[in-house]
Amino acid sequence: MRERESGSGIDPAELMERAGRGVVAAVRRERPDIPSAGQTALVLCGPGNNGGDGYVVARLLAEAGLDVTVVAYGDPGALPDPAAQAHRAWVAAGGRVAPLLDHQPDWDRPPPALLVDALFGGGLDRPMPDDLSEALVTIDDRAPYALSYRVSIDAPSGLNLDTGRVMFATGRERIVLEFDLTVTFDALRPGHLLASGPTLCGKVVVAELGIAALAWGKTFTIPVPSDFDPVLRPGEAPNKYDHGHVLVLAGGPGRGGAARLAARGALRVGAGLVTVACPSDALTENAARLDAIMLRTVDGADDLRALLTDARINVLVLGPGLGLERARELVPVALASGRACVLDADALTAFADDSAALFAQLNQNVVLTPHGGEFARLFPDLADHPSVIEAAREAGRRCNATVVLKGPVTVISGGGTAHVLASGTDPRTPAIPGIPWLATAGSGDVLAGMIAGLIARGGRAWTSPRKAVWLHAEAARRFGRGLIAEDLPDLLPAVFRDL
């Protein structure tokens, strides 16, 4: 556990005791039938502090009446303090330790009720050794996922907690066990939410040790009601124009749906006025579908320049259903106006062949909202970066704008910092990172409009996306399966009422 170094003001041995108690308490909450007398447990202990946590857990489980087997990788006699103290306390309580590599499961007995991985947690930064991988294959067979409740401390050993990727040696497949529950301490780490992390970790819960200032908590955003003051508290703004005017640029006939979704997202989130600007030949189509949202005609760059002489228009959305040719013509005009802009979809893809030309026009009032494919077109050298957080952070630096990299876990980067939003639920206890039913056509268009609506109300380009992503996910979580993009704006009032 790399976070539990000196500096917390708490005795390291006491921190280890707290960690062990936190693991056992989490198991009791998730599985009230465990631990109980007569059950068996297998605890895998490693050569460092994660292994020390395992010895504390083993002692506490034995005190609860379980028949506990501890197997250790490495020499327990070489453990550093405070793990050495935890090992001695286990032995003094009558516990025994067998070498993990020599462990031969008793196939005539039922599998253990509880399997605890305390080998390496987040402290391993390289693939596991071959001999350990081979031993874990046997344990995996003996304590199958369906029969043993499997718990990892910090993280499944072999999972990189910076990237969420499994550390495999080149050309060699090493086993990493899959768990029902992962107990980490004081704050989540990126790997709990990214890439393979969610599948391997199972449910992630956070046990408090009292050293949050030393942990990764600042990387993750947990919105609280006060974050939404610009939406919830109109204050002394009696006129609709005091809540901002969002202009959404739309495409030609048959392509207006995405822009209308963005416009409804902006209006529902609180923008005072929203206008859809479409070509003249698409005006009738859009008029048939819009009431509270206004309509203007923009056939080309000159029309947009003329429309932007209205200084009350303070945010533009370009991209949803815009068309590539139209995007190449209108995006430079929008950016040159100095207004805040949200660029999505076609407004990004239109510049894939010359992203430098786009980046040269950007500023800190611009938000880019690419999904993975659009991100790869704009930043091809970052697409396969091992850490999606570092990729988004570098992208934000490179283009001098806020980047909202959308996915099951959304990463928002600006000014060299990054925030990770895993879902609409409290990310300290995410059962499922991300919300799978948000993977539906048009949901990103609604999000682009919501970001613009929050900026229009006075929000900043680098803070409004965090709020919008959370609201967007929370609305989807409330609806559940069967969600389509049209549902999202109409769910926002209920979210606001609860806030």
Side-chain angles (χ1 to χ4, degrees):
M1 293 179 57
R2 287 173 287 177
E3 292 82 5
R4 253 191 291 152
E5 304 297 336
S6 60
S8 66
I10 305 173
D11 177 66
E14 171 59 22
L15 286 176
M16 193 162 283
E17 282 291 319
R18 292 184 188 183
R21 291 195 296 269
V23 172
V24 174
V27 172
R28 287 186 184 278
R29 285 193 303 271
E30 299 300 321
R31 284 289 300 270
D33 58 314
I34 301 175
S36 62
Q39 293 175 326
T40 60
L42 177 62
V43 181
L44 318 179
C45 291
N49 282 338
N50 201 255
D53 295 339
Y55 288 113
V56 174
V57 169
R59 193 187 78 244
L60 296 175
L61 293 175
E63 291 173 359
L66 274 75
D67 179 4
V68 181
T69 297
V70 173
V71 292
Y73 182 74
D75 179 9
L79 285 167
D81 278 331
Q85 297 179 49
H87 169 256
R88 288 194 294 269
W90 164 246
V91 173
R96 299 176 61 186
V97 181
L100 188 153
L101 298 182
D102 295 338
H103 178 61
Q104 295 296 323
D106 185 349
W107 293 94
D108 294 327
R109 299 181 62 190
L114 181 65
L115 171 67
V116 179
D117 174 7
L119 287 168
F120 296 103
L124 191 68
D125 57 5
R126 60 188 182 280
M128 285 190 291
D130 288 328
D131 54 0
L132 179 56
S133 295
E134 293 167 4
L136 289 181
V137 170
T138 301
I139 290 171
D140 191 43
D141 289 340
R142 185 66 193 100
Y145 186 76
L147 298 179
S148 296
Y149 191 66
R150 291 157 59 144
V151 180
S152 69
I153 300 179
D154 262 352
S157 296
L159 179 70
N160 186 308
L161 275 185
D162 294 328
T163 66
R165 298 190 179 190
V166 174
M167 293 178 287
F168 293 126
T170 303
R172 303 288 297 279
E173 185 169 330
R174 315 292 183 104
I175 187 169
V176 176
L177 300 185
E178 187 174 335
F179 289 85
D180 299 285
L181 175 69
T182 292
V183 183
T184 192
F185 305 100
D186 280 313
L188 294 173
R189 292 278 296 276
H192 291 127
L193 302 175
L194 303 176
S196 299
T199 299
L200 295 175
C201 291
K203 183 172 183 178
V204 183
V205 301
V206 178
E208 299 290 345
L209 299 186
I211 55 171
L214 302 181
W216 271 81
K218 294 180 180 179
T219 302
F220 300 92
T221 299
I222 304 174
V224 296
S226 62
D227 287 341
F228 297 93
D229 281 354
V231 176
L232 300 176
R233 302 178 186 177
E236 302 300 322
N239 190 286
K240 56 183 175 288
Y241 286 102
D242 294 317
H243 299 307
H245 186 173
V246 175
L247 180 67
V248 182
L249 278 298
R255 296 179 58 88
R260 292 193 294 269
L261 286 171
R264 293 192 68 239
L267 196 63
R268 276 294 191 193
V269 88
L273 297 92
V274 179
T275 295
V276 168
C278 64
S280 55
D281 58 357
L283 194 64
T284 301
E285 170 194 322
N286 284 295
R289 301 295 304 275
L290 300 174
D291 292 311
I293 293 164
M294 299 184 295
L295 269 173
R296 294 293 296 270
T297 298
V298 169
D299 284 315
D302 289 341
D303 291 336
L304 180 56
R305 290 189 189 96
L307 184 55
L308 292 179
T309 59
D310 183 349
R312 295 173 298 185
I313 297 173
N314 61 339
V315 187
L316 286 79
V317 179
L318 299 97
L322 188 59
L324 299 182
E325 184 176 342
R326 188 164 162 81
R328 282 188 286 267
E329 180 181 10
L330 298 183
V331 167
V333 176
L335 294 173
S337 73
R339 265 71 160 205
C341 292
V342 179
L343 304 185
D344 186 36
D346 290 343
L348 304 176
T349 301
F351 295 91
D353 293 336
D354 191 6
S355 58
L358 174 65
F359 298 163
Q361 303 174 68
L362 303 183
N363 58 67
Q364 294 185 357
N365 286 324
V366 177
V367 180
L368 311 184
T369 59
H371 57 54
E374 292 157 351
F375 185 87
R377 289 191 281 273
L378 285 178
F379 306 97
D381 59 315
L382 298 178
D384 294 323
H385 196 289
S387 169
V388 67
I389 292 177
E390 290 304 320
R393 182 180 283 126
E394 174 57 27
R397 290 194 195 100
R398 190 175 296 180
C399 69
N400 191 35
T402 298
V403 175
V404 180
L405 178 50
K406 298 178 294 191
V409 174
T410 294
V411 182
I412 302 166
S413 172
T417 63
H419 295 266
V420 178
L421 289 97
S423 71
T425 56
D426 184 340
R428 295 172 76 84
T429 56
I432 305 175
I435 297 174
W437 37 92
L438 266 177
T440 184
S443 64
D445 304 320
V446 175
L447 176 61
M450 290 173 60
I451 293 170
L454 290 177
I455 296 173
R457 291 187 62 92
R460 297 181 182 274
W462 56 91
T463 57
S464 295
R466 279 178 270 164
K467 300 171 187 178
V469 169
W470 188 88
L471 289 167
H472 186 253
E474 177 64 12
R477 185 188 65 80
R478 286 165 180 260
F479 191 95
R481 297 181 187 276
L483 175 83
I484 61 175
E486 287 94 323
D487 299 319
L488 287 166
D490 294 338
L491 293 164
L492 290 173
V495 176
F496 291 143
R497 280 195 296 273
D498 287 350
L499 285 171

